[in-house]
Amino acid sequence: MSAHDELRRALHEALPARPGYPSPDLLDRIMADVAASPRATGRAHALGRALGRTLGRTRARLAWNPRLLWLPPVAALALVAVLAQLLVGQRAPAPAYAGRVEFLATTAGGHVEFLSSQAHLAKEYRGMTDDVLAGFHGVADFNSQPTASDDVARILYEQAAGRSTVDLVALTRGDMAALEGAGALEDLTPLLRQLRADRQFPASLLHGGGRDAGTQYTIPWLQATYLLVVNKLAIGYLPPGAEVDHLTYDQLVDWGRRMEASGRPRIGLPAADDGGLIHRFLQGYAYPSFTGTTLTGFRSPAAVQMWQTLDDLWSVTDPASTTSSSMDDALQSGDIWVAWDHQARVSGALADGDRFIAVPAPSGPAGRGSMTAVVDLAIPKNAPNRKGAEALIEWLTRPRQQLAASSSLHFTPVVQGLVLSEPVASEWQVSRSYRSDPDAVATEPPVGLGADAERFSAVYRETFTRIVVQHQDIVMVLNQEAAKLQQIVDHAGAPCWPPDRSGSGTCHIA
Amino acid sequence: MVDSREAALIARVRMGHELAYAELLAPLLPLGARLAYGLLQDRCAAEDCVQEAALRAWRRIENLEPGRSFRPWFLGIVANRCREARRSSWWLFSTWLPVPDDVPDVEIDWLRWADLRTAVGRLPYRLRVAIVLHFYLDMPLEDVAATLGLRIAGVKTRINQGLRRLRTAMEAEVKDR
């Protein structure tokens, strides 16, 4: 080894590289600085350089020509005038940077009435108003509700009455479909075209619109999925042959039995009647994994098998789950070691990477069911401040605002190419593994039910309670609850949505 | 020379596009951080310097000569920022802080190379930066020259001077034991 190679090796050992260096959030911090530090435009720089060159030449002339002594005061006056011009220019709206659409840049947003089904928890609401919307050139009057039903009903009512008071609405894609189907949304195709000049949206999140192919009525804002959060203490109890990130439902049950040896049930499900998301677990995970469907196979033989497995799972699940609307506290207290929930509801545990990991939900005989909730932005027809609403959409899809929303609401940004920090980075990994799984059964929250969506989900929760908690006869319960579901779907006139095959007309339970 | 993709990104950055800057900068951060760490031997201070250098590069992108690659220009800014950091009063104060006697076992590996780190740290800046770029970042002489704005012959001179000083310093350490 040459002396040079030896020095190289010695330096690498003396100053070793470490995992995690530089910090994963370094780019985020830099971009936050960058966003807070708009710089002079190229024109101003060029002007400055030209002025410098002129002054240099003037100084050289003065050195040999005393007749030009009047020049310094004039030049000083000119310099003051130019600097004043530059300063005024700097105070004008900030220069165009990524995420800024030029036609909006100089337009104040005015008052924008913004309705959302997201960020209704106090902390999230504060994050929206203090971080996500702060700095917008206008007044965004942000209002959120726990469910979308009221927002959908209000907008449809206003459309029918021929007037609108809402400028911008943020709803999950399923809820938005009710507005889109009713022709209640403005065409945002031109806006999307302009936004895509600066930022990229995944093609899978852009759709041609339900009514007119090629027309975009919504702009994606945020997305989220559901996952298993695992305390690292639980890894030692895994059944032989089971891999924590490729579990089956049977292995999860077996794992739960083994973990009971630690003194108590260690699996948790958010099964509280008020606020728990157990209905999403059934619609997006259990049913698709066993039946390949969300709705049409509701009472199929595969569904009966699924409920038997869930019955077994419940026997090793913490009974306190029936009062848990979110699994974060139970995970962080150490009572629960393995829990399924929405990524935003376990953000506290996931932020503690020393204790917890995020893994995909289990798979069943029909594949690995998973649900991605996409929150879209849309402008109701005849919105009083359409320009302001467009400006706010442009603002909300800027990289910096996407990261701010991701941090405040614990959703994942939709704009591509952003560097995510924990815990959203882990959540994004799980989301990606769902998409890349060859056995994936991708689902969406119920689509097209509009104001009936909440009643629809309530039937799934009731079915869970009757079969799993109260141990009622599976086939009888499924037949009775299927009739209720069918009545709701018929009332909304909703066609099937993925993974159920959509055909013409209303979706029918087999 | 700068390829067409980089040229397009630089053009967008000149127009003020943040996302283009993130795309241009992201692949260089690990290298910039290693350079700063090699020069300062303090990871936190090194990250701070990279962060400040990145902001400075954003503000002064107009100074990047047309056709010149962003990479050596940015690394040059990082190196300059590190030199400034070492001149600061806080840096001088922090280097006077006493090293604890009861060093935990996990730091034994770190201490094994203390002599070399000290010797590199005591090199004059102009020699140290050439040594770190060439030997620690494994950068070819051409790239070191581009980063430091020197000719290759100048880089070779600095490296040779640096190596001579390092050798002298390390031999002195061995004699002192």
Side-chain angles (χ1 to χ4, degrees), chain B residues 20 30 33 50 52 68 87 103 107 114 139 142 151 162 165 171:
Chain B
V50 173
E52 288 166 23
R68 192 182 171 196
R87 284 179 184 156
V103 180
E107 293 190 11
M139 217 181 245
E142 295 78 10
R151 283 184 293 192
R165 291 210 189 194
E171 284 168 0

Side-chain angles (χ1 to χ4, degrees), chain A residues 168-507:
Chain A
L168 182 63
V169 62
L171 301 173
T172 59
R173 181 152 293 178
D175 295 323
M176 203 67 94
L179 297 177
E180 198 175 307
L185 301 178
E186 293 280 7
D187 178 5
L188 299 183
T189 314
L191 176 65
L192 177 66
R193 198 176 303 125
Q194 297 189 57
L195 294 176
R196 289 175 86 176
D198 295 290
R199 58 209 93 174
Q200 289 182 310
F201 298 95
S204 58
L205 298 188
L206 298 173
H207 59 139
R211 292 180 303 125
D212 313 312
T215 307
Q216 190 77 29
Y217 293 99
T218 58
I219 304 288
W221 178 31
L222 296 167
Q223 58 184 323
T225 191
Y226 304 77
L227 36 74
L228 276 186
V229 181
V230 176
N231 188 317
K232 291 178 182 174
L233 292 173
I235 302 290
Y237 294 84
L238 271 172
E243 295 175 39
V244 70
D245 50 357
H246 288 92
L247 287 172
T248 64
Y249 278 91
D250 289 338
Q251 286 172 333
L252 179 62
V253 173
D254 195 5
W255 195 13
R257 286 200 187 102
R258 288 164 180 269
M259 285 189 288
E260 275 193 320
S262 69
R264 52 169 296 156
R266 296 292 187 179
I267 291 179
L269 292 169
D273 206 32
D274 53 338
L277 292 175
I278 191 73
H279 52 282
R280 293 287 189 244
F281 174 71
L282 298 169
Q283 294 162 352
Y285 291 81
Y287 260 108
S289 298
F290 280 82
T291 71
T293 72
T294 290
L295 181 62
T296 54
F298 183 81
R299 56 182 173 185
S300 63
V304 174
Q305 184 198 346
M306 177 201 88
W307 284 108
Q308 286 165 344
T309 304
L310 292 188
D311 207 20
D312 292 340
L313 180 62
W314 188 252
S315 70
V316 291
T317 297
D318 182 9
S321 288
T322 51
T323 57
S324 299
S325 57
S326 145
M327 301 314 302
D328 215 10
D329 289 344
L331 281 164
Q332 292 194 71
S333 70
D335 291 345
I336 294 300
W337 285 355
V338 178
W340 174 98
D341 211 338
H342 188 284
Q343 67 177 63
R345 297 183 173 212
V346 284
S347 56
L350 287 178
D352 186 355
D354 291 337
R355 290 177 66 204
F356 298 100
I357 56 172
V359 299
S363 62
R368 188 181 306 278
S370 67
M371 180 180 278
T372 300
V374 181
V375 182
D376 284 327
L377 299 163
I379 302 176
K381 273 212 169 130
N382 306 316
N385 184 10
R386 175 173 177 160
K387 280 287 175 200
E390 287 186 349
L392 189 49
I393 290 176
E394 188 275 325
W395 173 261
L396 292 170
T397 53
R398 287 182 187 187
R400 190 175 174 218
Q401 295 339 103
Q402 284 272 290
L403 290 172
S406 158
S407 167
S408 296
L409 307 182
H410 302 290
F411 274 57
T412 309
V414 293
V415 171
Q416 293 183 309
L418 305 183
V419 179
L420 305 175
S421 51
E422 295 294 347
V424 177
S426 300
E427 295 156 2
W428 177 241
Q429 284 296 330
V430 172
S431 180
R432 200 162 62 176
S433 65
Y434 282 139
R435 287 200 304 275
S436 60
D437 191 328
D439 295 328
V441 184
T443 71
E444 293 177 18
V447 177
L449 297 175
D452 292 324
E454 184 49 31
R455 283 204 301 136
F456 180 83
S457 291
V459 174
Y460 282 84
R461 286 200 296 272
E462 187 176 82
T463 307
F464 179 84
T465 303
R466 291 180 64 185
I467 295 176
V468 172
V469 181
Q470 298 172 355
H471 304 294
Q472 294 186 28
D473 180 74
I474 294 175
V475 174
M476 176 195 75
V477 172
L478 290 181
N479 283 331
Q480 291 174 352
E481 299 293 340
K484 294 182 192 172
L485 282 179
Q486 190 64 63
Q487 186 261 331
I488 293 169
V489 175
D490 288 345
H491 180 256
C496 295
W497 61 88
D500 293 85
R501 287 186 185 174
S502 63
S504 56
T506 307
C507 196

